[in-house]
């Protein structure tokens, strides 16, 4: 609850208002059982009541309570007078500094409720006004209701009261407008289905007019399921078949084989004496059906084909503005009713006991100065900056003091402060000071709620904004993933890597529409990202035909990464054909209708690839995993594919030079040794972190390494966010990645389509290799005067075709084909 300390006079006024409102509430409640006994004084003026002390009343607030209650309730707005003490108490709380609510909103809501409620109660109890002393709607409600009924009658007054209630709720309940729209849409669709049902089952006196309407509106009208009363309980989603008792399929409602010819050739006027009475079958989704004999059907209209009922996904595409080429393309219209998750799904975690007192800062400053002076190091000044996890003490050394001398006493300073570890920054970039970061005794929890609610995140114009946590100066740390462009996350077990990945995903889920970003999640631990499976049809991407969108199997990881490489190449082809340079320019041109789908172009969403436990994948798959990751990291940034790798083993055999070269952005949580810190960040310091989300980040655009306390988002919050998204309409399926290159059991390609376009010299080079029994890239270069890239590509194609074996380092490749006949067969199979 927010609290702002007011001045004493204002606080006194607020407290008085709370007491007055409470007394009014007591007098109003007491009026319900004492009003009848106190009726004798209601006709007196207030002066007469004050002068006559012999008058006794039963109201708990005395004569004034009885008089004010009669004025407000009987002669005023009835029981709606209870809004008055509510407003007075609310005003008092606001003056006392408790500003959890909007005072203006409270005032106008209570005002509208009082007027509407008084009128409604006056209308309902209009006929009882002469029989009871207590008018529930008050004289105000009685007179307003009487005036309305004299002008628009009872039905008109009831309709007006209902309409004003609906209008009030539309402005106060956010989701009511969408719900009413959906109800009206479904009613309209149901009316269309009912008209078709009457036409088919029972005939229509206006059947002659239907044929023309059918020709004009057939493209816009989709008849849905039909229900026939068979005396049994029937699913309203079942389909109707009218035929001669023959079997039908459940995919649609069509006549078998010769039934269409029967409709065209036979007379449509059925006669019970000449033709067999038709059978009506109700076919439900479980492939079971109920049959019954129906009345004779007479129908002279056109042949009508039944389609499946209009579902939520199909209905959203009816009259889609994106079909209008004169308007800019809007990818969000595919899910136009999508609502971003409510911020109240996150928990606002407050840590009131985590504040660092001035006495603690002064004590630490004195200890630092005293320790340095013991070693002959003098300090000119010291300044403290309090962060959520650590406090930064900036020292200005005296002239002539060497920085290396201060670094040598780091452990002694930690001992004097009784700290587990401290981190020294000597010197601080751009400041000319020496920084000493000391962990706070009581650490503050940084909630994801505060990150999402912050102005820096809400007003961010980044393509993929990430709100990761708070810096040492309590500023919200927000960066753009597209500028990163790939992120390496490392740290020991239990130090906050998974929470950091959840914070990254939560930031994007709160900021981006499902049409704008897709996630590829690789989770070797099987359970870390399980909650995100619920949003498969909204935000996830997967291989065609796969059941699960979250990849846990190593073999499927290989296929997924290969598919991402193909997706990257396909996107580059689209961008190249459009004569553009990156995905931002491409999508902007596509939205402006300068790139058309008829020419093969499409809107390209961002793809964020999240790989957890990268070290485990490298141990099991090695180069098969590292190579496509390196290719994606080198090239994919321009076409909107960004990768986040996380590992708990930051060793050189896991984070290789190739990975580090292509992942300029890195985040290090607490690690166990200085070597691991150098492996991740190329500098020390991560071994001195406080743990539990404390991290060092190197992000392009920031001058130096930034210390950040990662925002905490709990599993329950992640589940609530995903449930909120999953409860809404999604796409028909997850975003499909391209089909990966398939390989046979020997790892060889089986057709030319699987290895791409063959080089024009492939046959000539293959014959040379088989005849000479020697094959190498350098040999091909010398023999045909080719560049290294083309020669290497030819050698890769020969390997995929099964002509040469894999590379063996400095040793020559094996030649797998022994005679020209086998070679000709292989080349013919690949079309070379």
């Amino acid at each position: 609850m927010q609290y702002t300390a007011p001045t004493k006079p204002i606080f006194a006024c607020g407290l008085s208002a709370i007491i007055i409102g409470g007394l009014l509430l007591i007098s109003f409640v007491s009026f319900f059982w004492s009003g009848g006994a106190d009726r004798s004084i209601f006709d007196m003026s207030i002066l007469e009541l004050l002068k006559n002390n012999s008058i006794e009343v039963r109201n708990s607030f005395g004569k004034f309570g009885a008089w004010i209650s009669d004025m407000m309730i009987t002669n005023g707005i009835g029981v709606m007078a209870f809004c008055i003490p509510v407003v007075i108490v609310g005003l008092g709380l606001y003056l006392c500094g408790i500003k959890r609510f909007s005072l203006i909103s409270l005032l106008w809501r209570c005002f509208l409720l009082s007027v509407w409620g008084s009128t409604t109660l006056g209308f309902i109890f209009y006929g009882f006004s002469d029989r009871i002393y207590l008018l529930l709607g008050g004289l105000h409600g009685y007179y307003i209701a009487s005036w309305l009924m004299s002008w628009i009658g009872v039905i008109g007054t009831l309709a007006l009261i209902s309409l004003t209630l609906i209008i009030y709720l539309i402005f106060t309940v956010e989701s009511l407008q969408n719900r009413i729209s959906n109800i009206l849409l479904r009613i309209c669709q149901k009316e269309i289905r009912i008209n078709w049902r009457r036409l088919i089952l029972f005939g229509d006196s206006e059947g002659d007019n239907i044929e023309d309407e059918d020709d004009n509106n057939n493209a816009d009208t989709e008849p849905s399921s039909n229900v026939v009363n068979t005396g049994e309980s029937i699913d309203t989603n079942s389909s109707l078949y009218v035929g001669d008792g023959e079997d039908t399929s459940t995919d649609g409602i069509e006549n078998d084989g010769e039934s269409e010819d029967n409709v065209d050739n036979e007379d449509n006027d059925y006669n019970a004496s000449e033709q067999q009475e038709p059978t009506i079958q109700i076919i439900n989704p479980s492939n079971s059906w109920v049959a019954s004999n129906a009345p004779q059907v007479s129908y002279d209209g056109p042949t009508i084909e039944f389609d499946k009922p209009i579902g939520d996904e199909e209905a959203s595409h009816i009259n889609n503005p994106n079909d209008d080429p004169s308007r800019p393309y809007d990818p969000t219209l595919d899910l136009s009713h999508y609502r971003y998750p409510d911020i109240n799904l996150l928990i606002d975690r407050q840590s009131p006991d985590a504040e660092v007192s001035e006495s603690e800062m002064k004590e630490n400053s004195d200890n630092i100065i005293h320790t340095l002076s013991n070693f002959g190091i003098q300090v000119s000044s010291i300044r403290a900056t309090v962060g959520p996890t650590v406090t930064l003490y900036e020292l200005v050394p005296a002239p002539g003091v060497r920085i290396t001398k201060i670094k040598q006493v780091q452990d002694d300073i930690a001992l004097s402060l009784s700290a587990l570890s401290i981190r020294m920054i000597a010197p601080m970039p751009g400041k000319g000071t020496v920084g000493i970061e000391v962990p706070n005794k009581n650490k503050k929890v940084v909630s994801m709620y505060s990150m999402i609610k912050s102005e820096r995140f809400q007003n961010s114009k980044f393509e993929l904004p990430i709100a990761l946590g708070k810096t040492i100066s309590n500023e919200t740390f927000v960066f753009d993933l597209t500028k990163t462009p790939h992120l390496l996350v490392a740290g020991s077990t239990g130090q906050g890597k998974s929470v950091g990945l959840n914070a990254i995903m939560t930031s994007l889920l709160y900021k981006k529409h499902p049409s704008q970003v897709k996630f590829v999640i690789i989770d070797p631990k099987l359970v870390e990202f399980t909650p995100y499976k619920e949003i498969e049809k909204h935000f996830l991407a997967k291989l065609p035909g796969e059941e699960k969108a979250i990849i846990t199997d190593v073999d499927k990881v290989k296929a997924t990464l290969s598919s991402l490489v193909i997706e990257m190449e396909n996107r580059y082809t689209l961008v190249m054909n459009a004569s553009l340079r990156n995905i931002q320019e491409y999508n902007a041109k596509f939205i402006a209708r300068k790139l058309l789908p008829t020419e093969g172009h499409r809107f390209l969403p961002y793809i964020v690839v999240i790989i957890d436990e990268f070290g485990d994948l490298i141990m099991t798959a090695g180069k098969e995993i590292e190579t496509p990751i390196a290719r994606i990291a080198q090239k994919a940034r321009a076409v909107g594919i960004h990768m986040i790798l996380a590992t708990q083993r930051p060793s050189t055999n896991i984070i290789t030079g190739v990975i580090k070269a292509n992942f300029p952005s890195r985040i290090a949580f607490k690690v166990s040794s200085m070597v691991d810190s150098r492996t991740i960040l190329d500098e020390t310091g991560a071994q001195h972190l406080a743990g539990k989300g404390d991290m060092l980040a190197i992000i392009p655009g920031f001058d130096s390494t930034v210390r950040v306390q990662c925002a905490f988002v709990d599993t329950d919050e992640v589940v609530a966010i995903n449930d909120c998204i999953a409860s809404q309409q999604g796409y028909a399926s997850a975003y499909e990645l391209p089909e990966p290159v398939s390989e046979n059991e020997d790892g060889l390609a089986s057709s030319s389509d699987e290895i791409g376009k063959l080089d024009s010299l492939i046959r000539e080079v293959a014959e040379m290799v088989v005849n000479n029994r020697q094959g190498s890239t350098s040999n091909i270069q010398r023999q045909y005067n080719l560049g290294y890239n083309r020669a290497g590509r030819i050698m890769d194609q020969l390997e995929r075709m099964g002509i040469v074996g894999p590379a063996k380092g400095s040793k020559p490749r094996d030649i797998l084909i022994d005679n020209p006949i086998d070679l000709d067969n292989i080349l013919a199979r690949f079309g070379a």
Side-chain angles (χ1 to χ4, degrees), residues 692-802:
K692 294 185 178 180
D694 192 16
M695 65 183 183
L696 295 175
I698 299 178
I699 305 293
F702 293 85
D703 296 335
S704 60
T705 304
V706 184
R707 188 164 186 173
V708 180
Q709 176 61 40
C710 183
F712 179 71
V713 53
D714 201 1
T715 303
D716 293 339
E717 298 171 81
V718 174
V719 171
I721 294 170
N722 285 279
D723 288 343
C724 174
I725 297 174
S727 64
Q728 304 180 54
Q729 175 189 333
Y731 295 100
S733 62
Y735 182 85
E736 285 196 356
L737 298 172
E739 188 75 36
V741 175
S742 60
E743 298 182 354
N744 58 25
E745 296 179 356
D746 299 325
L748 306 177
S750 58
S751 68
S752 60
D753 293 337
E754 298 177 4
I755 60 176
K757 184 179 180 180
L758 295 176
D759 194 278
S760 58
L761 295 175
I762 190 70
R763 173 175 284 276
E764 189 175 345
V765 173
E767 292 175 349
M768 183 270 293
V769 169
V770 172
N771 292 334
N772 297 340
R773 309 302 299 171
Q774 181 181 2
S776 66
T777 303
S778 59
N779 187 31
I780 297 174
Q781 284 183 272
R782 290 193 302 271
Q783 292 288 340
Y784 295 94
N785 194 24
L786 301 177
Y788 178 80
N789 291 336
R790 185 178 179 186
R793 186 163 57 250
I794 293 175
M795 185 57 67
D796 290 340
Q797 292 179 352
L798 293 176
E799 180 183 348
R800 296 294 304 279
M801 295 166 70

Side-chain angles (χ1 to χ4, degrees), residues 569-588:
E569 299 292 351
N570 293 342
R571 290 186 171 208
Y572 265 111
T573 302
L574 291 174
V575 175
M576 179 191 66
N577 293 338
S579 301
L580 300 172
R581 298 177 58 189
N582 53 54
I583 187 175
Q584 290 89 354
E585 296 176 359
Y586 180 88
N587 282 340

Side-chain angles (χ1 to χ4, degrees), residues 396-417:
V396 179
V401 176
R402 299 177 60 187
I403 292 180
T404 55
K405 193 174 182 180
I406 300 177
K407 289 182 178 179
Q408 293 173 357
V409 298
Q410 178 175 343
D411 294 336
D412 299 282
I413 296 175
L415 179 63
S416 67
L417 296 174

Side-chain angles (χ1 to χ4, degrees), residues 338-590:
Y338 176 79
R339 301 188 309 277
Y340 291 87
D342 194 324
I343 193 174
N344 292 323
L345 297 174
L346 298 171
I347 300 175
D348 185 11
R349 293 178 169 84
Q350 301 289 343
S351 303
D353 300 331
E355 299 294 334
V356 179
S357 62
E358 293 185 6
S359 59
E360 181 181 345
M361 287 189 288
K362 187 176 187 306
E363 181 183 357
N364 289 338
S365 300
D366 293 341
N367 288 335
I368 292 173
I369 295 174
H370 180 70
T371 303
L372 292 175
S373 63
N374 290 338
F375 292 93
I377 303 173
Q378 300 300 320
V379 177
S380 300
S381 63
I382 185 170
R383 183 169 65 91
T385 303
V386 180
T389 304
V390 297
T391 300
L392 173 63
Y393 295 90
E394 295 185 58
L395 314 177
V396 179
V401 176
R402 299 177 60 187
I403 292 180
T404 55
K405 193 174 182 180
I406 300 177
K407 289 182 178 179
Q408 293 173 357
V409 298
Q410 178 175 343
D411 294 336
D412 299 282
I413 296 175
L415 179 63
S416 67
L417 296 174
S418 301
L420 295 176
S421 63
I422 64 172
R423 176 173 174 260
M424 184 173 289
I425 311 170
M428 293 193 69
K431 290 190 175 182
T433 59
V434 176
I436 300 176
E437 295 175 344
V438 181
N440 298 334
K441 294 180 180 179
N442 297 317
K443 298 177 177 59
K444 183 178 181 180
V445 177
V446 178
S447 65
M448 198 66 205
Y449 177 91
S450 61
M451 295 294 98
I452 301 299
K453 195 175 181 179
S454 65
E455 291 185 5
R456 180 169 294 185
F457 179 76
Q458 292 291 336
N459 300 330
S460 171
K461 302 301 181 182
F462 294 152
E463 291 289 333
L464 295 177
I466 305 295
L468 201 55
K470 287 193 174 182
T471 64
I472 199 170
S473 57
N474 277 306
E475 295 179 351
T476 303
F477 185 69
V478 181
F479 64 93
D480 189 357
L481 186 61
T482 61
K483 299 294 189 292
T484 312
H486 308 290
L487 188 61
L488 177 63
V489 182
S492 301
T493 303
Q495 300 304 320
K497 294 189 308 300
S498 297
V499 174
L501 295 178
N502 282 325
I504 291 173
M505 293 194 67
T506 300
S507 299
L508 295 177
L509 293 178
Y510 267 94
K511 198 69 173 178
K512 307 305 290 184
H513 189 272
S515 63
Q516 298 170 334
V517 64
K518 302 295 179 183
F519 295 100
V520 175
I521 302 177
I522 298 175
D523 182 19
K525 288 196 294 189
L526 307 179
V527 297
E528 198 63 54
F529 293 96
T530 302
Y532 295 99
K533 68 181 181 181
E534 302 295 334
I535 59 173
E536 173 182 334
K537 294 183 179 181
H538 298 79
F539 282 99
L540 300 191
K542 66 177 183 179
L543 294 175
E546 289 292 332
E547 294 183 3
K548 299 179 180 179
I550 298 178
I551 303 105
T552 57
D553 184 73
V554 176
D555 293 331
K556 293 181 180 179
V557 171
K558 301 175 188 177
T560 302
L561 292 175
S562 299
S563 177
L564 286 169
V565 172
I566 298 173
E567 173 73 11
M568 176 186 69
E569 299 292 351
N570 293 342
R571 290 186 171 208
Y572 265 111
T573 302
L574 291 174
V575 175
M576 179 191 66
N577 293 338
S579 301
L580 300 172
R581 298 177 58 189
N582 53 54
I583 187 175
Q584 290 89 354
E585 296 176 359
Y586 180 88
N587 282 340
K589 204 167 183 179
F590 186 86

